[in-house]
Amino acid sequence: MINIKKELCIGCGACVKDCPGKAIKLVDGKADYIRNCIHCGHCVAICPVSAVSIPGYDMEDVEEYDKETFTVQPENFLHAVKFRRSIRNFKEKPIEREKLERILDAGRYTPTAKNMQECRFILIQERLEEFKELVWKEMPNVIENLKKDNPAYARAFELFYLKHEKNPQEDTFFFNTTSFLVIASENPLDGGLAAANIENMAVAEGAGALYSGYMMRVIQSGPVLKEWLGIKDIPVSCCMLLGYPAVTYKRTAPRKKRNVEWK
């Protein structure tokens, strides 16, 4: 349900016009919630007198708009995008809990299809060594499963496994990171969008990230791993290594020219 305080409502109709589900209308000059919706929160965000709330949601978490706080200068944002790097060399220092909470909140606030908000974030830090051991223990089963669905990946992981058997100290998939994040979602786009915001927030906190397509394949092909993570029946949409970079980049990297058609 959407709660509209009639004593506060001024009947401006802003929520009616902005509601994507047409779930609100003006009745006797006041906004009235007439049918179920996806609880996107547009009505809460647009109301000029804070007359709207959504029971069951944390309304204390809602912030008033402030231009200084909520505006990112376009040149600064583009520079941040250009300067990001995939980190493969991390410091031993783990990211602090309060920073990780803010980083994950960037994923929590990312838009999702139909506002389902069904992304699950599994952040492995304290039990990371336990998870790594399980990955290598399950690797033979992962390889056998991949032989049925994706032989090319099976061959690659066979080589990784042989390499690990010869030198178990080499951190093949994790690059000595202190935190490993798995995002699971029924809609892969939801998880991908959340991952992009999470990485941007991680960089803002002084950390860095590496997307791991290899670990996505490993986990998705390893039922025991999915059970350990608590996502047995949910697809893996992204895996990320998170930590403080042990390297310092001096400038942005070059890219090919834009491949854009203007029509």
Side-chain angles (χ1 to χ4, degrees), residues 122 124 131 135 139 142 145-146 157 174 180-184 212-229 231-232 234-240:
I122 301 93
I124 311 172
F131 181 69
V135 166
M139 189 60 70
V142 169
N145 290 333
L146 283 170
F157 288 135
F174 298 94
F180 181 68
L181 175 65
V182 179
I183 305 176
S212 180
Y214 279 151
M215 281 307 303
M216 280 183 64
R217 292 280 182 176
V218 169
I219 294 171
Q220 196 61 46
S221 301
V224 173
L225 296 172
K226 293 194 73 177
E227 186 172 351
W228 189 93
L229 291 165
I231 54 170
K232 184 177 180 181
I234 310 174
V236 177
S237 53
C238 187
C239 291
M240 300 175 69

Side-chain angles (χ1 to χ4, degrees), residues 131-147 153-165 170-174 212-225:
F131 181 69
K132 288 180 184 180
E133 290 179 10
L134 185 62
V135 166
W136 290 114
K137 180 181 177 181
E138 289 300 311
M139 189 60 70
N141 294 326
V142 169
I143 292 169
E144 288 304 311
N145 290 333
L146 283 170
K147 285 179 179 178
Y153 272 100
R155 287 192 293 272
F157 288 135
E158 281 180 332
L159 294 175
F160 286 136
Y161 186 62
L162 290 173
K163 188 177 179 181
H164 173 76
E165 290 291 287
E170 187 169 344
D171 204 6
T172 303
F173 294 120
F174 298 94
S212 180
Y214 279 151
M215 281 307 303
M216 280 183 64
R217 292 280 182 176
V218 169
I219 294 171
Q220 196 61 46
S221 301
V224 173
L225 296 172

Side-chain angles (χ1 to χ4, degrees), residues 83-97:
F83 198 75
R84 69 146 308 274
R85 300 262 56 82
S86 295
I87 306 302
R88 295 178 176 85
N89 187 2
F90 294 94
K91 293 181 179 179
E92 294 182 2
K93 177 185 175 182
I95 303 174
E96 296 83 351
R97 179 63 177 262

Side-chain angles (χ1 to χ4, degrees), residues 48-106:
V49 293
S50 300
V52 188
S53 61
I54 306 178
Y57 280 40
D58 183 8
M59 297 305 297
E60 295 296 323
D61 200 33
V62 174
E63 299 181 55
E64 295 294 322
Y65 176 76
D66 176 75
K67 186 176 181 180
E68 295 299 319
T69 303
F70 289 93
T71 301
V72 179
Q73 296 301 317
E75 61 271 18
N76 291 344
F77 183 77
L78 181 58
H79 177 77
V81 172
K82 290 174 65 177
F83 198 75
R84 69 146 308 274
R85 300 262 56 82
S86 295
I87 306 302
R88 295 178 176 85
N89 187 2
F90 294 94
K91 293 181 179 179
E92 294 182 2
K93 177 185 175 182
I95 303 174
E96 296 83 351
R97 179 63 177 262
E98 62 272 17
K99 289 187 178 181
L100 282 173
E101 288 178 353
R102 290 194 293 267
I103 289 168
L104 293 176
D105 271 348

Side-chain angles (χ1 to χ4, degrees), residues 2 5-7 13 69 85 103 107 111 137 146 175 179 185 189 193 197 215 222 237 247:
I2 303 296
K5 293 181 178 179
K6 300 296 175 65
E7 66 274 17
T69 303
R85 300 262 56 82
I103 289 168
K137 180 181 177 181
L146 283 170
F175 297 96
S179 302
S185 59
L189 181 59
L193 291 172
N197 279 345
M215 281 307 303
S237 53
V247 293

